[in-house]
Amino acid sequence: MLGRETMARVAIVTGGSRGIGRATAKQLAARGDAVVVGYAGNAELADEVVAEITAAGGRAVAGRADVADEKEVAALFELGEKTYGGIDVVVNSAGIMTLSPIADLDLDALDRMHRTNIRGTFVVLREAARRLRDGGSVVTVSTSVVGLQLPAYAGYAASKAAVEATSLILARELRGRDITVNTVAPGPTATSFFLDGKDQETIDRMAKQPPLERLGTPEDAAAMISFLTGPEGHWINGQTIRSNGGII
């Protein structure tokens, strides 16, 4: 039997068409994983990721799924199983963010955010718990704002605090299957997700927060995810890693 170090593995990456998810899909493919690039709406971007992976000699296929829709998520897992034979790695990078002071927060926006970030996490993790092959790995994506607790981030931070709690509980529930479940919580990262709607002064100020004095990159977060889902990181389990350059 092939060991974890040598077995060709299959990864699902939700939110894989852009940002941290895109960088993660490419890094996992570069190390030899076959990747299912999950996306919510932009098929063109997802197809670009697949094309980049295959052009570099990797294996990838794109699949559309609203992470909060259990039937679509099940179909995404089935795509990986039918195309590559099974699922070993699940990275739930899909998420949305609405910023607002609590006093002004639109509750419909809060519901939409929590539907994707909380319900979506539950749906993806439930499917992972049912389908992941023994010896696999799961990584969810949170945010360092859970610890920083910045004004205007309350709704988003609350949704990601739920992600962190849920992930730890799943790690404990999967006892006996040699499956790890961890969370990566990036700080400010140079993606459209973070940059859109912010003026340059705000971006520059937030870039100065960590002692390393720069924004994170999608590749920074992807490298941590790759480590946690690889053989070298398999002893790490049930943890939230604040990958943020040292922001306190």
Side-chain angles (χ1 to χ4, degrees):
M1 177 182 296
L2 292 174
R4 186 185 303 113
E5 294 81 359
T6 58
M7 182 176 66
R9 300 191 309 163
V10 181
I12 289 177
V13 181
T14 71
S17 65
R18 63 182 73 207
I20 289 171
R22 185 185 188 111
T24 297
K26 292 169 67 175
Q27 286 204 24
L28 297 188
R31 77 178 184 192
D33 292 4
V35 180
V36 178
V37 179
Y39 68 96
N42 196 321
E44 183 177 352
L45 284 179
D47 288 342
E48 285 179 5
V49 180
V50 171
E52 290 174 9
I53 289 171
T54 56
R59 297 174 296 158
V61 63
R64 186 197 172 281
D66 171 359
V67 291
D69 185 312
E70 62 271 30
K71 292 181 180 179
E72 293 186 8
V73 170
L76 189 68
F77 277 73
E78 288 164 6
L79 175 63
E81 290 172 339
K82 291 177 181 177
T83 306
Y84 299 118
I87 307 298
D88 305 285
V89 173
V90 174
V91 179
N92 188 40
S93 181
I96 62 174
M97 178 173 65
T98 298
L99 301 183
S100 171
I102 294 172
D104 302 322
L105 183 59
D106 180 275
L107 294 182
D108 288 337
L110 179 69
D111 288 343
R112 288 192 297 272
M113 183 163 52
H114 284 195
R115 180 182 182 276
T116 295
N117 297 355
I118 298 178
R119 178 186 167 94
T121 295
F122 270 89
V123 170
V124 172
L125 293 189
R126 186 179 73 164
E127 208 64 33
R130 293 174 173 178
R131 295 178 181 264
L132 207 65
R133 293 190 284 210
D134 291 356
S137 299
V138 178
V139 172
T140 57
V141 177
S142 179
T143 172
S144 287
V145 173
V146 172
L148 296 172
Q149 300 172 354
L150 301 175
Y153 282 83
Y156 181 62
S159 73
K160 290 300 190 176
V163 170
E164 295 181 12
T166 304
S167 302
L168 172 57
I169 290 170
L170 182 61
R172 292 171 172 169
E173 291 178 348
L174 294 179
R175 173 184 292 273
R177 291 181 55 189
D178 191 30
I179 293 174
T180 64
V181 185
N182 293 289
T183 301
V184 172
T189 303
T191 65
S192 59
F193 188 81
F194 167 77
L195 297 172
D196 288 353
K198 293 182 176 67
D199 59 40
Q200 192 60 48
E201 181 181 357
T202 299
I203 293 169
D204 291 344
R205 174 173 50 80
M206 298 187 77
K208 289 292 185 181
Q209 284 183 311
L212 299 181
E213 294 191 335
R214 67 170 176 84
L215 295 176
T217 68
E219 290 73 23
D220 290 327
M224 178 57 67
I225 294 169
S226 180
F227 172 74
L228 291 171
T229 59
E232 299 87 352
H234 202 72
W235 185 237
I236 301 172
N237 192 24
Q239 305 301 309
T240 295
I241 311 297
R242 304 222 177 277
S243 177
N244 60 26
I247 301 175
I248 303 301

